[in-house]
Amino acid sequence: MSHDLNALKNLFVLYRERSVTKAAHIMGVTQPSMSRVLNKLRNEYDDRLFVREKDTLVPTPKADLLVTKLAPLFEQIDQAMDATLPMQPDVATGTFSFCAPDFISKFAMANLPSGILTITPKIEFSYRYWSSDIIEQLKAGDVDLAFGYFHECPNHIKQYVISDDEFVLLHRPEHPLANKDIAIESLLHWPHIAIRDSGFSDAFFDKALLARGLRRQNVVTTPDISAAFSLLMSSDCLMVAPAKLAAYLCPEAVAKPLPTDKKTLEYSLYWGAIKDQDKLHQYIRQIIITTFQKQWPSLI
């Protein structure tokens, strides 16, 4: 099969934008022209490539595979073509979206936008909370940069490690277990708070219990870390959370080693490989990385 490099470039842009109209605008062609290219690609690869759902194009598994293979190629081409072009952050336009859990919102808004908005005055800096579909948003380029923790860095996602931490078991100082060693069986008699969709997860703890034929009872789940610590300190609930983060957000909480295997995590910045070689993204990304390098470890 002969391959049309320009058509493949259109596929790459369609995948990133999830819109025929937006892709056509970026490629400097009309919408009907872009639609014809998509139909040609569908015929060549005997696959729909994209399925429309509401107002977006959802890629098929074959489109995912093609773009995974094509991304490094077009990154190299774009890098070579842009090598001689000067970086002009003062005239760059668009939106840079940063995603992080609620516990980092105060830090992010206090430390990140001011420098970026001064250097890139025409860029809109968008902050949003961590969500369950963050991996797909990063992969598609809908989110430029995310701060949090993945158990394993997914394919086609880039990672920069800021600092590390270790999970512990937490309870209030007046808890009946305060002066006792905690065995697995004893902790199952108490209600638990589980933080989900907030940049880290304690799902590994449930898996460790399940391997022993055990499970937690009366679990309250929440994405709001501040609310979780508030409930922890006003009840007999137990909670599994990162030690340094707990010491920063709730220094009164008592931390004990997990009665299961030790579990560590890395606080990291993540971005989609689709954005990795974008010069403006690289520029803003480095400002944010430098800010986190200087400020975040000192907080926890």
Side-chain angles (χ1 to χ4, degrees):
M1 179 189 298
S2 61
H3 298 286
D4 182 337
L5 187 60
N6 189 58
L8 292 176
K9 177 66 174 180
N10 282 307
L11 172 65
F12 186 75
V13 176
L14 278 165
Y15 187 93
R16 185 182 66 199
E17 300 300 325
R18 307 299 169 92
S19 164
V20 171
T21 302
K22 291 181 180 178
H25 177 73
I26 290 173
M27 295 300 292
V29 299
T30 63
Q31 183 174 336
S33 177
M34 181 60 70
S35 296
R36 286 194 294 271
V37 171
L38 177 56
N39 288 330
K40 174 185 176 182
L41 289 165
R42 283 169 167 166
N43 290 331
E44 286 186 0
Y45 291 99
D46 192 25
D47 187 87
R48 295 183 69 184
L49 298 177
F50 297 95
V51 179
R52 180 167 293 281
E53 290 187 7
K54 295 183 179 180
D55 296 326
T56 190
L57 295 177
V58 178
T60 65
K62 181 170 281 190
D64 281 332
L65 177 62
L66 284 169
V67 170
T68 298
K69 300 294 184 182
L70 288 170
L73 169 64
F74 284 116
E75 286 170 2
Q76 292 175 22
I77 292 175
D78 289 342
Q79 189 175 20
M81 294 180 67
D82 291 344
T84 60
L85 298 177
M87 179 63 195
Q88 296 179 297
D90 57 322
V91 298
T93 59
T95 300
F96 191 96
S97 58
F98 178 78
C99 175
D102 71 308
F103 68 84
I104 196 63
S105 61
K106 183 178 180 180
F107 170 85
M109 296 307 291
N111 291 278
L112 297 182
S114 57
I116 295 173
L117 294 179
T118 300
I119 299 171
T120 56
K122 296 185 179 181
I123 294 291
E124 177 185 345
F125 186 83
S126 170
Y127 175 83
R128 63 183 75 175
Y129 285 142
W130 190 276
S131 60
S132 57
D133 63 343
I134 186 60
I135 291 177
E136 290 305 315
Q137 292 190 59
L138 286 168
K139 184 178 179 182
D142 296 332
V143 167
D144 288 287
L145 200 62
F147 175 87
Y149 161 73
F150 295 137
H151 176 60
E152 292 182 0
C153 188
N155 292 333
H156 229 48
I157 301 293
K158 302 292 185 177
Q159 176 185 19
Y160 186 91
V161 177
I162 300 297
S163 64
D164 58 9
D165 208 338
E166 180 179 349
F167 282 96
V168 292
L169 186 69
L170 301 166
H171 61 68
R172 66 188 179 96
E174 301 81 11
H175 197 284
L177 294 176
N179 298 315
K180 299 178 181 179
D181 293 332
I182 299 180
I184 292 180
E185 290 74 13
S186 64
L187 67 84
L188 298 180
H189 298 301
W190 302 96
H192 287 251
I193 305 167
I195 302 172
R196 302 289 162 83
D197 299 332
S198 287
F200 66 86
S201 170
D202 65 354
F204 73 91
F205 187 64
D206 289 313
K207 291 180 181 178
L209 293 178
L210 186 61
R212 295 169 170 81
L214 304 171
R215 64 189 300 268
R216 291 188 285 184
Q217 305 294 325
N218 300 323
V219 179
V220 177
T221 63
T222 177
D224 189 326
I225 295 178
S226 297
F229 278 111
S230 178
L231 176 58
L232 180 77
M233 298 303 291
S234 62
S235 70
D236 284 336
C237 289
L238 303 175
M239 183 166 70
V240 174
K244 294 178 183 178
L245 180 64
Y248 170 58
L249 294 176
C250 188
E252 301 85 3
V254 176
K256 293 182 177 178
L258 293 179
T260 56
D261 293 338
K262 178 180 178 180
K263 181 68 175 179
T264 59
L265 76 157
E266 295 175 330
Y267 298 109
S268 298
L269 287 165
Y270 299 95
W271 61 94
I274 199 169
K275 297 276 190 174
D276 193 48
Q277 298 300 319
D278 182 282
K279 296 183 76 172
L280 182 61
H281 191 281
Q282 289 177 334
Y283 186 81
I284 298 176
R285 185 171 76 223
Q286 189 55 53
I287 295 174
I288 295 176
I289 285 175
T290 301
T291 300
F292 269 86
Q293 283 176 324
K294 291 180 178 179
Q295 302 292 341
W296 178 251
S298 64
L299 293 179
I300 62 173

